[in-house]
Amino acid sequence: MSKRTSLAAAAVLIGAVLIAPGTATAGPPDRGGDGIQNIIPITQILAFGQKVTAVVVEYSSEVNPRTLNRDTYTVSDSLYNFRFDPVEDITDPTKRADRTITAVYTNDTADVNADRHSDPGKYVIVELDSTDPGGNTVMATGNYVKVNPDLQTQVVQNEDVYAQPGRAGQGRGPRLATASDEAYRPTRPAINLLADDFGYERFTTTTGTMIPYAYHLPDGYDAAKKYPVVVILPGQGMGFNGSNEGVQVAADIPATAWLQEKWTGTSEDVIVLAPQNQRVGSATAQADVMVELLNTFAGEFSVDQDRIYASTVSYGSTLAWAALATYPGLFDGALITGGFAAIAAQATAVAASGTPVWITHGTHDHLLSVSTTGQASYNRIWNAYMELGKTPAQANELVKYTEYADSAFYEPDRHLAAAPTYEDETILQWLLAQ
């Protein structure tokens, strides 16, 4: 693609917000000899976005796993969460808490083991409870968000750590690191599970507008096959502001969910395309840019032209409604979560094209009132089908609506309807079935 330029993988973190460091030291990177060599966070993208879910503690040689337990370490982290905390708390290093450690084991690589069993290696993997407060990586800056490279994770080694014993196999082996109350912060960039597997690129339209985007091809991608593609249209704050490239993958679950059978409930391979429009101009103008990118992308990769889907978060709905109205038939199905309202003309266009749409919204969405957005969109499209002479049963197949009570949100952000939506694999399977 001649108008597309590659970005370094580190572009995800360029210009990210720095938060004030705590009292911990930066740690002893690559110092050689005994002691902790490196601290490396591992992040995962959950329903409410990316957070630290494990920490790698690297030593100079193989660690004896028989001397490790969940009391060997204490891991603490910043409690900052842009979804409901005041933004000023971003600079408060005292607002932190200990994380719950769920497993400790050794590995030969700086990565988690699915079975949580120790393999011989110099890396100790400390897994953390993903439901704990703290460890969120996405930070607010004004009206936008970005990934923070200066993670506030801290590790204290409470007990001595030993190497493997000698050939006789007796005893604990030599001591690698002595217990201490010293807290170490990360010394290496985070390992971002799945997010690091995306390609991060830029596309320039025929009119000269640049749009960053992320994409993921299935493992074993075969150009001779045809794959469905899900286009992820993120919220307002995940738009590109010049220094937050790639945050649309990390901030919410939709981009990475399609890579995981535990979310979709199906083993079908899916291509994911996540545009990051600059929030400049009207939603229609932004939709035009997104559609040009999509058409070019679909011409380069093996996309099933009869299975192109849109999935939106909040403001991303405005681009979807505009594209559904301006480019009828482009999308074969759309999932609108916590979105803005479709105006009457857009609802009429959706009904005329017959594009299946599923709308979800939180009952107590604090940013977009459900009665004037989610419910209104559903009612307008439903009424448009009635005016076209569809029966209620036919309309029920083409436009669906789900509203979530507060109990559906395990974090108090009732605006992010994408979280409970994506936790319901039947909705994702419905989209892929269109």
Side-chain angles (χ1 to χ4, degrees):
M1 190 180 299
S2 61
K3 295 182 181 179
R4 197 183 70 203
T5 56
S6 296
L7 296 177
V12 181
L13 303 178
I14 288 175
V17 184
L18 300 180
I19 70 180
T23 58
T25 61
D30 298 324
R31 69 183 181 185
D34 293 338
I36 294 174
Q37 304 294 295
N38 283 294
I39 302 292
I40 310 168
I42 295 178
T43 73
Q44 183 178 355
I45 300 171
L46 308 171
F48 284 87
Q50 189 182 68
K51 70 185 298 180
V52 176
T53 55
V55 180
V56 179
V57 185
E58 180 186 356
Y59 294 91
S60 58
S61 60
E62 280 190 13
V63 176
N64 184 349
R66 292 179 294 279
T67 64
L68 301 174
N69 58 70
R70 284 183 286 180
D71 295 325
T72 303
Y73 303 95
T74 298
V75 178
S76 67
D77 223 321
S78 166
L79 289 173
Y80 173 78
N81 189 328
F82 84 93
R83 297 192 183 280
F84 49 87
D85 282 352
V87 173
E88 57 266 23
D89 285 342
I90 195 172
T91 58
D92 183 358
T94 66
K95 190 177 181 186
R96 54 188 308 114
D98 290 347
R99 302 287 302 275
T100 301
I101 295 174
T102 58
V104 178
Y105 54 87
T106 58
N107 205 354
D108 57 355
T109 60
D111 199 1
V112 295
N113 268 346
D115 60 11
R116 292 181 164 183
H117 291 163
S118 286
D119 290 327
K122 65 179 181 177
Y123 302 98
V124 176
I125 312 302
V126 183
E127 292 197 22
L128 308 169
D129 188 337
S130 62
T131 64
D132 275 348
N136 298 286
T137 71
V138 178
M139 302 294 178
T141 52
N143 294 324
Y144 292 87
V145 298
K146 52 181 66 174
V147 176
N148 178 18
D150 188 25
L151 299 180
Q152 297 298 288
T153 309
Q154 294 182 5
V155 178
V156 175
Q157 182 189 305
N158 303 314
E159 302 172 345
D160 292 350
V161 171
Y162 296 88
Q164 290 281 22
R167 291 185 179 180
Q170 301 298 318
R172 295 177 297 193
R175 183 165 52 199
L176 285 175
T178 304
S180 168
D181 60 1
E182 184 174 12
Y184 291 106
R185 290 182 57 209
T187 61
R188 296 280 181 89
I191 297 168
N192 303 300
L193 300 180
L194 293 184
D196 287 344
D197 296 335
F198 277 73
Y200 296 89
E201 313 238 0
R202 290 180 173 182
F203 174 78
T204 301
T205 69
T206 53
T207 59
T209 300
M210 187 277 290
I211 176 173
Y213 68 98
Y215 73 100
H216 187 277
L217 303 179
D219 292 339
Y221 169 79
D222 182 357
K225 295 174 58 177
K226 294 294 184 182
Y227 298 89
V229 61
V230 181
V231 181
I232 308 298
L233 302 177
Q236 165 67 28
M238 292 74 181
F240 180 58
N241 70 350
S243 63
N244 65 345
E245 210 149 343
V247 75
Q248 77 275 23
V249 172
D252 304 307
I253 189 59
T256 55
W258 299 98
L259 283 54
Q260 305 174 76
E261 187 174 348
K262 68 180 182 181
W263 287 93
T264 63
T266 173
S267 60
E268 182 176 21
D269 290 328
V270 175
I271 294 175
V272 177
L273 175 64
Q276 192 181 14
N277 286 78
Q278 300 180 55
R279 300 306 187 206
V280 177
S282 66
T284 299
Q286 293 182 52
D288 290 341
V289 171
M290 176 270 294
V291 170
E292 185 174 342
L293 164 64
L294 170 58
N295 287 334
T296 305
F297 182 89
E300 177 173 340
F301 295 104
S302 189
V303 170
D304 186 340
Q305 297 290 335
D306 293 323
R307 297 183 69 195
I308 298 177
Y309 311 115
S311 178
T312 75
V313 176
S314 188
Y315 178 82
S317 62
T318 65
L319 276 66
W321 294 132
L324 287 165
T326 307
Y327 304 93
L330 172 68
F331 291 118
D332 298 287
L335 177 56
I336 310 293
T337 72
F340 287 71
I343 62 174
Q346 291 169 336
T348 299
V350 169
S353 69
T355 303
V357 175
W358 196 320
I359 300 164
T360 70
H361 217 94
T363 299
H364 294 126
D365 186 323
H366 60 288
L367 295 180
L368 299 176
S369 173
V370 65
S371 61
T372 58
T373 53
Q375 292 175 359
S377 296
Y378 171 75
N379 290 334
R380 286 169 184 158
I381 296 173
W382 171 272
N383 290 335
Y385 278 123
M386 294 300 100
E387 292 176 3
L388 289 174
K390 299 289 186 182
T391 67
Q394 290 172 327
N396 285 340
E397 292 299 313
L398 293 168
V399 58
K400 297 179 180 293
Y401 179 75
T402 300
E403 191 170 306
Y404 294 108
D406 293 356
S407 59
F409 299 82
Y410 70 78
E411 286 193 1
D413 180 0
R414 279 84 183 195
H415 175 56
L416 190 64
T421 299
Y422 270 75
E423 290 173 334
D424 183 351
E425 64 184 29
T426 62
I427 295 179
L428 306 192
Q429 291 170 8
W430 171 88
L431 188 62
L432 289 179
Q434 305 312 308

